[in-house]
């Protein structure tokens, strides 16, 4: 049985003080949660304070990106070791905003995944097609290529999570329908089976992201191959994030 994962991707929101306030309000809601695994991915500057507050709970900490080198003259970059020592468990890799605005390519995604896995962190690999690609019915081809390249020459993907995030659904208020999402998740699971084996395909968690909110989460999460969500905007408020977590069946 795959344990669902609901992860909050805070993007460039919340100072350390705002992070502290969020967690003070949020932690009482989830004290006895056993339904889903919960993670928050705040900005780097909030990792320390968040770790202090959640280290004795079951909530996991994640970062939003990482550099693939161990250390060196890479101004502005953060290494896996720095993230691990800050209490991180997950690292989001290949988010569409990184791909669109910050020169992330399938090659850099591949380097980052290798480094993250070798540092005993867990990648959350983001994949998804643009609206133009979907309008041309290329979504499966695109996602297949992104996944094949991300995992190139990797034999053991460990606990890696895949987040299917159609670019046209991110931050737009327009979510994929449960059927569209299920179709893609099922396609991704079959692809994982062909790239690795059945055991890996049954074990891997494939989560959905893109305009998840309390109003649509239940229907999306009820689909067979959808193992939780990566939540942007709606994870910034304790009550809406909690309502989405509660929607996991
Ligand atoms: P959204 O973002 O929930 O605000 O659409 C999701 C994401 O970018 O991970």
């Amino acid at each position: 049985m795959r344990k669902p994962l609901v992860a909050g991707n805070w993007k460039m929101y919340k100072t350390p003080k705002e992070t502290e306030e969020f967690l003070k309000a949020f932690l009482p809601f989830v004290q006895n949660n056993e339904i889903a695994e919960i993670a928050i991915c705040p900005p780097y500057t909030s990792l320390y304070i968040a770790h202090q507050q959640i280290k004795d709970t079951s909530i996991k900490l994640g970062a939003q990106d990482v550099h693939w080198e161990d250390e060196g003259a890479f101004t502005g970059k953060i290494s896996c070791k720095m993230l691990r020592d800050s209490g991180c468990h997950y690292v989001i890799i290949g988010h569409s905003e990184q791909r669109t605005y910050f020169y992330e390519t399938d090659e850099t995604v591949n380097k980052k995944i290798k480094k993250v896995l070798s540092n005993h962190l867990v990648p959350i690999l983001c994949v998804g097609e643009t609206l133009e690609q979907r309008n041309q019915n290329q979504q499966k081809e695109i996602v297949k290529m992104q996944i094949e390249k991300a995992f190139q020459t990797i034999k053991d993907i460990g606990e890696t999570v895949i987040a299917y995030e159609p670019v046209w659904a991110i931050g737009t208020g327009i979510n994929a329908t449960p059927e569209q999402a299920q179709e893609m998740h099922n396609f991704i699971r079959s692809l994982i089976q062909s790239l690795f084996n059945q055991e890996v395909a049954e074990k891997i968690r494939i989560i959905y992201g893109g305009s998840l909110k309390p109003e649509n989460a239940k229907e999306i999460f009820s689909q067979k191959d959808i193992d939780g969500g990566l939540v942007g905007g709606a994870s910034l408020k304790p009550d809406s994030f909690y309502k989405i977590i509660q929607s996991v069946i």
Side-chain angles (χ1 to χ4, degrees):
M1 244 332 245
R2 300 182 293 267
K3 183 160 189 174
L5 166 67
V6 183
N9 171 15
W10 287 3
K11 312 193 179 189
M12 201 171 74
Y13 291 99
K14 293 196 192 295
T15 63
K17 189 161 189 326
E18 288 163 347
T19 300
E20 195 178 0
E21 283 163 7
F22 173 96
L23 286 169
K24 263 195 202 140
F26 180 68
L27 290 179
F29 287 147
V30 292
Q31 235 164 16
N32 300 316
N33 158 69
E34 278 174 16
I35 344 165
E37 191 184 318
I38 303 169
I40 54 161
C41 305
Y44 297 132
T45 44
S46 286
L47 290 177
Y48 178 79
I49 189 102
H51 178 56
Q52 294 310 309
Q53 282 171 281
I54 65 177
K55 63 180 182 217
D56 298 323
T57 74
S58 59
I59 300 179
K60 301 235 165 74
L61 191 62
Q64 297 174 19
D65 189 25
V66 70
H67 189 52
W68 58 83
E69 294 288 351
D70 288 326
E71 60 181 5
F74 302 107
T75 303
K77 298 296 171 213
I78 297 274
S79 74
C80 285
K81 186 159 177 263
M82 293 167 190
L83 295 181
R84 224 186 35 230
D85 284 4
S86 304
C88 286
H89 177 83
Y90 288 110
V91 187
I92 296 174
I93 295 177
H95 191 278
S96 79
E97 286 149 17
Q98 286 286 336
R99 295 180 192 256
T100 308
Y101 309 129
F102 304 113
Y103 313 105
E104 184 89 279
T105 64
D106 291 325
E107 289 68 36
T108 58
V109 165
N110 177 251
K111 286 186 193 182
K112 289 176 183 182
I113 294 189
K114 284 179 182 159
K115 189 53 79 171
V116 163
L117 288 170
S118 70
N119 276 275
H120 310 290
L121 287 160
V122 179
I124 299 178
L125 164 66
C126 300
V127 296
E129 80 288 354
T130 62
L131 186 58
E132 200 184 351
Q133 289 160 339
R134 179 160 282 264
N135 286 341
Q136 290 172 7
N137 203 26
Q138 293 171 336
Q139 63 273 18
K140 288 186 181 163
E141 200 183 307
I142 295 293
V143 166
K144 179 169 186 272
M145 199 170 63
Q146 288 172 337
I147 292 177
E148 283 174 350
K149 289 191 170 169
F151 291 150
Q152 211 155 43
T153 74
I154 301 178
K155 291 206 169 58
D156 182 1
I157 57 169
E159 304 287 307
T160 299
V161 175
I162 296 180
Y164 169 56
E165 299 205 301
V167 179
W168 46 273
I170 297 176
T172 57
I174 305 165
N175 55 283
T177 64
E179 295 73 27
Q180 283 172 325
Q182 165 57 25
E183 188 184 0
M184 184 60 87
H185 282 232
N186 182 262
F187 172 75
I188 294 172
R189 205 174 295 288
S190 321
L191 176 63
I192 294 299
Q193 174 156 351
S194 67
L195 293 176
F196 299 97
N197 57 49
Q198 191 179 351
E199 197 187 323
V200 178
E202 278 169 12
K203 193 185 83 176
I204 193 169
R205 289 179 296 177
I206 308 170
I207 62 177
Y208 168 82
S211 296
L212 271 171
K213 0 177 214 271
E215 299 77 42
N216 60 23
K218 205 176 180 78
E219 219 188 331
I220 292 177
F221 290 165
S222 67
Q223 303 297 311
K224 184 169 162 283
D225 288 295
I226 301 185
D227 306 312
L230 184 57
V231 191
S235 72
L236 294 169
K237 293 213 172 99
D239 57 339
S240 60
F241 190 39
Y242 179 53
K243 279 187 192 140
I244 293 176
I245 294 163
Q246 279 184 308
S247 309
V248 167
I249 306 165

